[in-house]
Amino acid sequence: MIGSVAQIDQIVSSVQIVDMQESFCVTRPHLVKLCDAFVRRALSASDLSVVAFALLASDAFEWHDEIVSEVLSDWSAPEVNYVLNADTINMHRDWLLGYAEPSERTPSNTHLKVGNLLAVRTKTVSNN
């Protein structure tokens, strides 16, 4: 992740992504491993958000099911979804493992003002 994100200003950032040639299906166990890495502090909240954004922005990834899609969407925009912390990552882990079902959307970031632009993240294609 180091060097892949360019912070343009306080709101705008760009993520450099090398698109894969082959398609790859992201499954629940893949995301559980990311949850575990976050809990072990091998990944920061920022790292997890960038990984989720890169997966969503790439044309090469497919989702095994809707839960995978929802979790990636939550992680990719913590500014408007759920703050990435141990509690919310464990909530997502429970969804991924089938211990709990996603409930009515009640994000943790209810303190945010409606209509304010919080973040813009764009994909920059790399040929590496």
Side-chain angles (χ1 to χ4, degrees), residues 2 6-8 14 28 64 66-67 71-72 85 91 94-95 101-102 104-105 110 117-118 127:
I2 296 173
Q7 194 66 43
I8 310 303
S14 177
R28 291 182 186 202
H64 180 255
E66 189 63 30
I67 297 295
V71 169
L72 287 172
N85 59 34
M91 173 191 71
D94 286 349
W95 295 357
E101 290 291 320
E104 185 69 30
R105 304 300 286 171
T110 55
L117 183 60
L118 301 172
N127 296 323

Side-chain angles (χ1 to χ4, degrees), residues 2-126:
I2 296 173
S4 64
V5 179
Q7 194 66 43
I8 310 303
D9 60 30
Q10 287 184 315
I11 295 175
V12 179
S13 63
S14 177
V15 179
Q16 188 172 4
I17 297 172
V18 178
D19 280 322
M20 298 185 332
Q21 300 285 326
E22 306 277 325
S23 181
F24 184 86
C25 184
V26 178
T27 64
R28 291 182 186 202
H30 293 126
L31 298 190
V32 169
K33 287 181 181 185
L34 291 173
C35 291
D36 294 344
F38 179 86
V39 170
R40 285 192 326 271
R41 295 190 173 137
L43 286 177
S44 69
S46 177
D47 293 338
L48 190 57
S49 180
V50 169
V51 167
F53 173 80
L55 290 170
L56 290 169
S58 175
D59 293 332
F61 294 99
E62 300 170 7
W63 322 133
H64 180 255
D65 61 19
E66 189 63 30
I67 297 295
V68 170
S69 177
E70 281 190 50
V71 169
L72 287 172
S73 294
D74 285 349
W75 291 353
S76 72
E79 307 86 4
V80 295
N81 293 310
Y82 294 97
V83 174
L84 297 179
N85 59 34
D87 290 336
T88 59
I89 295 304
N90 283 323
M91 173 191 71
H92 286 113
R93 191 176 194 283
D94 286 349
W95 295 357
L96 292 163
L97 292 172
Y99 298 152
E101 290 291 320
S103 57
E104 185 69 30
R105 304 300 286 171
T106 54
S108 304
N109 294 336
T110 55
H111 63 283
L112 299 173
K113 294 179 183 176
V114 176
N116 287 357
L117 183 60
L118 301 172
V120 175
R121 189 175 283 164
T122 60
K123 170 184 171 181
T124 303
V125 178
S126 176

